[in-house]
Amino acid sequence: MDKRVKAYLSRAKQWKEEMKMLREIIIDCDVEEDFKWMHPCYTNKGKNIVLIHGFKEYCALLFHKGALLKDSQGVLIQQTKNTQVARQLRFASVTEIEKQKHIIKDYINEAIKNEQEGKEVALKKNSDYEKPDELLAAFKEDSDFEKAFNSLTPGRQRGYLLHFTSAKQSKTRVSRIEKAKHKIFDGKGYNER
């Protein structure tokens, strides 16, 4: 056992037994154990396959390219509507894990096979994301602002678009755009300081 994984599991306040059981199932597959993003992570030939993590109401396996899995059992969960690639298998008890042991292994093996075959998820382009009317109006008012926005990296643009469009009211979208302007002019992303 990777010593960082051992420490992580020994310190776990929730889902300790569930995560230990998930680890036992995973290591029975063709994976190497690692510790990434502060969680037990399992790779095959250096490629990320699955990660164990716990939340308040469940523990989960996060398949890094879960969108490629066939999900014949209909058990994979897309965490948010904006999550493009990753998918979760969620568990609330050791009994649930035990019942799905074969499914878990099948999904892990399929994920390994997909990685070995070099399969990739076709990601949405920034042009596929909605630009709210309020942002388009701000661009019309200030062409320098539009240039600054378009100069951002695709990931930073996407972050702002998701932030702006998640507001339900127009006045909130306008407010978010105004608050973000200085960061956009500085070339910074939504979550950057």
Side-chain angles (χ1 to χ4, degrees):
M1 180 184 285
D2 184 295
K3 64 183 177 186
R4 297 165 298 174
V5 172
K6 186 176 184 176
Y8 175 85
L9 292 174
S10 69
R11 288 191 311 264
K13 291 181 175 39
Q14 256 189 307
W15 311 114
K16 185 181 288 197
E17 293 308 312
E18 289 82 359
M19 288 190 287
K20 284 181 179 179
M21 180 177 271
L22 288 169
R23 180 190 176 271
E24 287 175 21
I25 294 168
I26 295 168
I27 61 170
D28 198 34
C29 299
D30 185 19
V31 294
E32 297 87 40
E33 188 167 61
D34 202 342
F35 194 77
K36 298 180 180 184
W37 307 287
M38 300 183 61
H39 290 88
C41 182
Y42 300 87
T43 64
N44 177 275
K45 297 180 182 158
K47 301 288 186 175
N48 298 323
I49 304 298
V50 69
L51 178 123
I52 298 174
H53 55 164
F55 294 89
K56 186 176 180 179
E57 298 186 12
Y58 59 87
C59 67
L61 291 180
L62 178 76
F63 288 90
H64 294 275
K65 292 184 181 176
L68 293 173
L69 298 174
K70 292 179 187 122
D71 194 18
S72 58
Q73 302 297 315
V75 292
L76 290 177
I77 296 168
Q78 183 176 354
Q79 291 166 272
T80 70
K81 68 177 184 162
N82 297 315
T83 302
Q84 294 186 62
V85 182
R87 297 292 184 271
Q88 285 183 338
L89 269 177
R90 295 179 179 173
F91 308 96
S93 70
V94 169
T95 306
E96 281 183 39
I97 296 168
E98 187 61 46
K99 285 180 182 175
Q100 296 186 50
K101 186 176 182 176
H102 295 294
I103 294 169
I104 296 167
K105 279 189 176 187
D106 288 347
Y107 281 36
I108 292 168
N109 289 325
E110 182 183 352
I112 292 168
K113 184 175 183 249
N114 288 342
E115 231 8 278
Q116 290 173 344
E117 292 175 358
K119 291 184 179 179
E120 294 291 334
V121 177
L123 299 176
K124 287 169 80 173
K125 296 178 181 146
N126 280 356
S127 58
D128 296 335
Y129 288 94
E130 171 191 353
K131 283 188 180 163
D133 292 337
E134 296 82 1
L135 182 61
L136 297 174
F139 289 164
K140 272 188 177 178
E141 284 180 23
D142 185 350
S143 62
D144 289 338
F145 176 53
E146 183 175 16
K147 286 176 192 167
F149 184 85
N150 290 330
S151 296
L152 294 172
T153 63
R156 288 181 174 128
Q157 288 181 27
R158 186 170 44 255
Y160 281 115
L161 291 173
L162 293 173
H163 176 60
F164 299 154
T165 58
S166 68
K168 293 179 182 166
Q169 295 184 359
S170 178
K171 67 180 181 179
T172 307
R173 288 189 290 276
V174 169
S175 173
R176 287 182 180 185
I177 291 164
E178 285 302 314
K179 287 179 183 175
K181 275 187 177 180
H182 73 280
K183 287 171 70 174
I184 291 171
F185 277 114
D186 289 343
K188 293 182 179 179
Y190 165 64
N191 289 320
E192 294 177 272
R193 294 185 192 259

